[in-house]
């Protein structure tokens, strides 16, 4: 079950911190703003600024760094491939070469840029998921996407489906663990054999899992109906989202950060060389 | 066979913000033909404990011995252990998956490498032990009633011929009659097949009638490991950890507080309790309580 446990990306980490208490909408907007900023900045002072912002964001959340890094493990391969491809496939001034393999100066620059961006992006957005329960997160998305209802997008229904799906992930994981153990108690083996045998060995796990998922879905539908759920119309909230002072302060900080990152983070010359490598303006 | 726990600790998710210490320094032994009751309220660590007994969970520290061999030593065959230590999970009917009852019960013996004929023979034998008629063998397990499903699931473990049978809350979610049936089935298996039993429950009444020994768990620790009468005598301590001694034991202890003395044991069945009371009332020491004769 070690496999299931390693998925920390998108898991709530309970703690009492400012970031935990922030309005979930603020966290969504800050995360989006931070991601956008990562694609705007291209100078070293700009990255230092982003690093400072990220460091503050993580420290204030009180989520241990090692816990966040555990979530990085699952995307390590992606990161590795990105770096390798950029390192070897960027044309430009040769730095080192082994026969056909050539590392260029631009390659090093872009590879490290991409690596930093990816790591920052994942860490920055995992702060949001670590400090916000899935329910709050979907509440925030529903609230932020509300204008779309004018265009007849079923925002509430989408949000409800999302929150139910998220709610079921840990339940189904627990269920998988339990059924796996129950079948192992009957001598089942999920770890050895070739790929076809292994796939076949999954039947005793998957059949009960599907049955249980359907049973739970049915129960939930019943319970929602019994409590007169009828979609979004006329539905009020038990905990309406209301901005507090710290939320406004956070927005202000974000704005400051974005302005700064445009001012010191942008370098027109390098930025254009990113889009037109080799060309320059 | 004999299972022995030596200072076993279990911590779930040691890296989490709030690691769960599910077992704390557990030392005990089970097996050897005994009928052991394992009691504790929800979350006290009963399921965690029994999953250590057949090597499904590995102790965070400490050792589990099966007949004096560490079950986590290199090259120890835990699959073979799981056949000898049968574990019936809570709501075992949720693990049924085959197209017919017989095939589902064959799953265990087949996994142990037995031939199709041998497995079917074992399965039929196990099914008859739990009282499922031949007519149901070819039916889909999902068409059976709740009580029948549970028997089939128990048969699925019995068919592996365990020497120790562990049942995790086998009566959960059943009506009183099905409860009785399952409990007497377990006691029958103990008596006629000489299988050691570990019966997990949060109800004293269930366990009290059959167990030779009761383990009481609270908050990951084994508090008591004693014969039933000795455990019930501590009904106050039990109440403090959210457990209720059987009614009969409570009645006897209240009577003795009211002045009626001379009980030898904490009887469990209604008849035995009545006998104890009558005997105490007619003994010379019991005079002081004559006024309570009407109780
Ligand atoms: N797979 C698991 N992961 C994390 N914690 C668990 C897991 N299984 C049980 N626990 C926790 O361990 C404690 C003991 O649980 P359990 O052994 O199921 O108790 P019981 O069977 O007596 O109800 C509980 O606090 C429970 O929440
Ligand atoms: Mg349990």
């Amino acid at each position: 079950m070690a496999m299931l446990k390693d998925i920390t990306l998108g898991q709530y980490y309970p703690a009492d911190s400012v970031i935990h208490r922030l309005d979930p909408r603020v966290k969504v907007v800050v995360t989006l703003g931070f991601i956008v900023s990562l694609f705007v900045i291209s100078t070293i002072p700009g990255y230092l600024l982003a690093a400072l912002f990220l460091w503050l964001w993580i420290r204030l959340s009180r989520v241990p760094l090692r816990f966040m890094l555990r979530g990085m493990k699952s995307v390590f391969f992606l990161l590795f491939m990105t770096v390798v491809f950029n390192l070897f496939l960027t044309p430009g001034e040769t730095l080192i070469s082994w026969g056909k393999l050539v590392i260029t100066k631009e390659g090093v620059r872009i590879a490290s840029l991409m690596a930093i961006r990816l790591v920052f992006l994942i860490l920055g957005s995992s702060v949001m998921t670590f400090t916000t329960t899935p329910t709050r997160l979907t509440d925030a998305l529903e609230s932020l996407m509300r204008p779309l209802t004018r265009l007849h997008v079923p925002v509430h229904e989408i949000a409800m489906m999302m929150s139910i799906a998220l709610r079921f992930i840990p339940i189904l994981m627990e269920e998988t663990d339990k059924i796996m153990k129950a079948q192992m108690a009957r001598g089942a083996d999920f770890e050895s054999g070739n790929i076809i045998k292994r796939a076949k060995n999954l039947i005793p796990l998957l059949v009960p899992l599907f049955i249980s998922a359907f049973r739970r879905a049915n129960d939930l539908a019943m319970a929602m109906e019994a409590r007169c759920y009828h979609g979004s119309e006329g539905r009020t909230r038990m905990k309406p989202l209301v901005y507090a002072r710290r939320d406004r302060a956070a927005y202000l900080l974000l704005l400051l950060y974005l302005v700064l990152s445009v001012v010191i983070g942008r370098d027109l010359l390098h930025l254009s060389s990113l889009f037109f490598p080799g060309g320059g303006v | 066979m004999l299972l022995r726990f030596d200072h076993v600790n279990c911590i779930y998710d040691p890296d989490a913000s709030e690691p769960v210490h599910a077992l704390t320094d557990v030392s005990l032994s089970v097996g050897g033909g005994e009928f052991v009751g394992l009691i504790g309220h929800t979350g006290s660590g009963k399921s965690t404990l029994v999953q250590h007994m057949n090597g499904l969970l590995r102790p965070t520290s400490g050792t589990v011995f099966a007949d004096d061999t560490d079950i986590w030593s290199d090259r120890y065959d835990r699959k073979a252990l799981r056949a000898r230590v049968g574990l019936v999970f809570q709501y075992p009917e949720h693990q049924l998956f085959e197209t017919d009852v017989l095939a589902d019960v064959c799953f265990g013996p087949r996994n142990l490498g037995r031939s199709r004929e041998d497995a079917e023979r074992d399965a039929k034998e196990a099914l008859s032990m739990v009282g499922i008629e031949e007519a149901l063998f070819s039916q889909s397990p999902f068409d059976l009633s709740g009580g029948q499903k549970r028997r089939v699931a128990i048969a699925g473990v019995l068919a592996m011929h365990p020497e120790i049978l562990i049942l995790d809350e086998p009566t959960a979610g059943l009506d009183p009659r099905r409860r009785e049936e399952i409990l007497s089935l377990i006691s029958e298996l103990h008596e006629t097949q000489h299988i050691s039993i570990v019966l997990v429950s949060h109800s004293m009444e269930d366990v009290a009638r059959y167990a030779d020994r009761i383990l009481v768990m609270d908050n990951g620790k084994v508090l008591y490991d004693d014969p039933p009468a000795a455990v019930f005598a501590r009904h106050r301590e039990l109440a403090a950890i959210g457990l209720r001694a059987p009614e009969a034991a409570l009645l006897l202890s209240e009577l003795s507080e009211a002045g009626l003395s001379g009980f030898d044991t904490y009887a469990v069945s209604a008849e035995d309790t009545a006998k104890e009371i009558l005997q105490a009332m007619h003994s010379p020491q019991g005079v002081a309580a004559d006024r309570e004769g009407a109780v």
Side-chain angles (χ1 to χ4, degrees):
Chain A
M1 259 59 49
M3 187 185 68
L4 293 181
K5 270 194 194 137
D6 275 343
I7 308 173
T8 59
L9 199 72
Q11 221 176 59
Y12 182 65
Y13 182 94
D16 186 24
S17 79
V18 196
I19 308 282
H20 280 79
R21 269 173 281 145
L22 277 181
D23 188 292
R25 288 171 293 182
V26 178
K27 287 186 261 191
V28 172
V29 172
V30 169
T31 306
L32 288 177
F34 181 67
I35 291 173
V36 168
S37 80
L38 287 179
F39 288 92
V40 169
I41 53 189
S42 58
T43 62
I44 289 174
Y47 280 107
L48 287 178
L49 178 74
L52 184 74
F53 187 82
L54 185 62
W55 178 79
L56 201 72
W57 185 226
I58 292 175
R59 279 313 294 271
L60 286 177
S61 76
R62 296 226 184 122
V63 180
L65 195 63
R66 84 190 135 81
F67 208 72
M68 303 206 144
L69 293 178
R70 222 167 61 172
M72 296 276 312
K73 259 196 272 178
S74 49
V75 286
F76 181 77
F77 183 71
L78 179 75
L79 190 65
F80 181 75
M81 291 314 276
T82 312
V83 168
V84 167
F85 276 114
N86 279 300
L87 206 56
F88 289 107
L89 298 180
T90 315
E93 195 182 322
T94 304
L95 211 62
I96 312 171
S97 67
W98 287 292
K100 282 214 161 153
L101 283 180
V102 177
I103 298 182
T104 61
K105 214 169 148 187
E106 283 75 10
V108 171
R109 205 176 70 85
I110 293 184
S112 41
L113 232 140
M114 287 308 250
I116 291 171
R117 268 186 196 164
L118 262 174
V119 170
F120 279 20
L121 191 147
I122 291 162
L123 286 181
S125 42
S126 61
V127 169
M128 176 179 75
T129 50
F130 274 127
T131 60
T132 323
T133 59
T135 340
R136 302 259 297 158
L137 209 55
T138 44
D139 279 356
L141 290 179
E142 185 180 348
S143 168
L144 290 170
M145 294 194 309
R146 177 133 329 129
L148 293 179
T149 37
R150 295 245 181 84
L151 305 174
H152 300 288
V153 178
V155 171
H156 169 79
E157 280 70 20
I158 292 173
M160 182 55 93
M161 266 155 54
M162 251 176 75
S163 66
I164 289 174
L166 286 170
R167 177 77 194 79
F168 267 55
I169 290 173
I171 294 178
L172 286 181
M173 259 159 77
E174 205 172 289
E175 194 92 3
T176 308
D177 185 63
K178 213 159 60 190
I179 297 171
M180 239 167 150
K181 279 183 186 158
Q183 304 298 29
M184 277 160 77
R186 295 209 280 164
D189 191 346
F190 295 105
E191 270 138 27
S192 57
N194 61 27
I195 191 148
I196 296 172
K197 190 150 178 297
R198 269 199 218 192
K200 238 181 99 189
N201 286 351
L202 283 181
I203 295 174
L205 169 65
L206 292 180
V207 173
L209 195 60
F210 270 94
I211 292 173
S212 134
F214 282 124
R215 188 178 50 232
R216 280 178 195 282
N218 199 28
D219 288 354
L220 183 66
M222 211 74 119
M224 285 168 80
E225 201 131 304
R227 288 192 263 170
C228 305
Y229 177 76
H230 57 82
S232 62
E233 225 164 289
R235 194 172 145 85
T236 54
R237 301 197 155 273
M238 183 160 129
K239 291 183 194 158
L241 294 173
V242 183
Y243 285 123
R245 232 175 76 176
R246 59 170 168 266
D247 299 315
R248 284 187 277 272
Y251 273 140
L252 216 66
L253 253 169
L254 176 69
L255 195 69
L256 187 72
Y257 165 73
L258 285 178
V259 168
L260 268 176
S261 69
V262 169
V263 171
I264 63 170
R266 251 179 83 178
D267 178 350
L268 269 178
L269 205 84
H270 275 110
L271 193 70
S272 55
S273 78
L274 238 183
F275 290 113
F276 313 100
V281 183
Chain B
M1 81 180 295
L2 203 68
L3 283 174
R4 190 160 60 80
F5 279 52
D6 186 39
H7 301 287
V8 169
N9 283 279
C10 169
I11 301 172
Y12 283 113
D13 299 323
D15 289 341
S17 58
E18 293 157 8
V20 183
H21 214 131
L23 291 180
T24 308
D25 198 30
V26 172
S27 297
L28 54 85
S29 61
V30 294
E34 265 186 317
F35 193 126
V36 178
L38 176 56
I39 290 247
H41 65 81
T42 306
S44 57
K46 307 182 295 293
S47 300
T48 306
L49 179 64
V50 296
Q51 285 169 32
H52 280 83
M53 291 184 178
N54 69 347
L56 282 177
L57 289 177
R58 184 178 192 153
T60 311
S61 70
T63 323
V64 179
F65 296 98
D67 289 334
D68 292 317
T69 317
D70 179 354
I71 67 167
W72 286 99
S73 51
D74 293 344
R75 284 199 290 278
Y76 186 84
D77 186 358
R78 276 179 294 279
K79 200 155 139 183
L81 173 74
R82 284 172 199 149
R84 297 173 69 198
V85 183
L87 172 56
V88 179
F89 269 68
Q90 198 170 358
Y91 296 108
E93 58 274 22
H94 292 177
Q95 79 203 18
L96 301 174
F97 70 97
E98 273 286 5
T99 46
D100 67 71
V101 167
L102 191 65
D104 207 286
V105 178
C106 283
F107 182 65
R110 289 287 283 159
N111 282 331
L112 299 176
R114 293 183 199 157
S115 72
R116 187 171 292 279
E117 295 82 57
D118 282 357
E120 279 192 6
R121 199 198 54 232
D122 292 337
K124 284 180 178 158
E125 199 183 6
L127 282 164
S128 82
M129 270 191 244
V130 299
I132 296 285
E133 310 99 62
E134 286 223 43
L136 298 175
F137 287 7
S138 55
Q139 284 209 11
S140 161
F142 303 106
D143 291 339
L144 303 179
S145 74
Q148 285 171 329
K149 275 188 203 166
R150 193 159 296 183
R151 285 156 182 275
V152 169
I154 294 175
V157 172
L158 271 182
M160 301 194 298
H161 299 312
E163 293 161 53
I164 300 181
L165 181 65
I166 306 167
L167 300 110
D168 195 347
E169 311 217 10
T171 58
L174 293 182
D175 62 56
R177 199 163 125 222
R178 305 282 173 280
R179 255 176 117 90
E180 268 320 300
E181 283 174 10
I182 294 283
L183 287 175
S184 59
L185 164 69
I186 296 167
S187 131
E188 206 181 292
L189 288 171
H190 178 59
E191 264 147 36
T192 63
Q193 310 292 321
H194 309 290
I195 304 177
S196 312
I197 303 280
V198 177
L199 176 61
V200 178
S201 176
H202 58 248
S203 149
M204 280 278 176
E205 237 102 37
D206 279 3
V207 168
R209 264 178 298 162
Y210 305 107
D212 307 317
R213 211 173 99 210
I214 294 184
L215 298 166
V216 179
M217 287 197 74
D218 180 46
N219 199 11
K221 295 194 187 79
V222 175
L223 285 193
Y224 307 122
D225 178 355
D226 289 308
V231 171
F232 301 149
R234 286 186 274 227
H235 58 93
R236 275 211 193 78
E237 289 92 327
L238 291 179
I241 58 168
L243 292 172
R244 196 177 161 79
E247 294 296 337
L250 288 175
L251 175 65
L252 291 184
S253 82
E254 266 182 40
L255 282 174
S256 95
E257 267 158 38
L260 187 70
S261 53
F263 305 124
D264 314 323
T265 54
Y266 279 84
V268 176
S269 72
E271 292 82 26
D272 289 351
T273 315
K275 253 186 240 154
E276 284 288 329
I277 296 175
L278 281 174
Q279 197 186 349
M281 276 170 55
H282 290 125
S283 73
Q285 302 127 308
V287 186
D290 262 2
R291 268 171 297 129
E292 272 100 356
V295 176

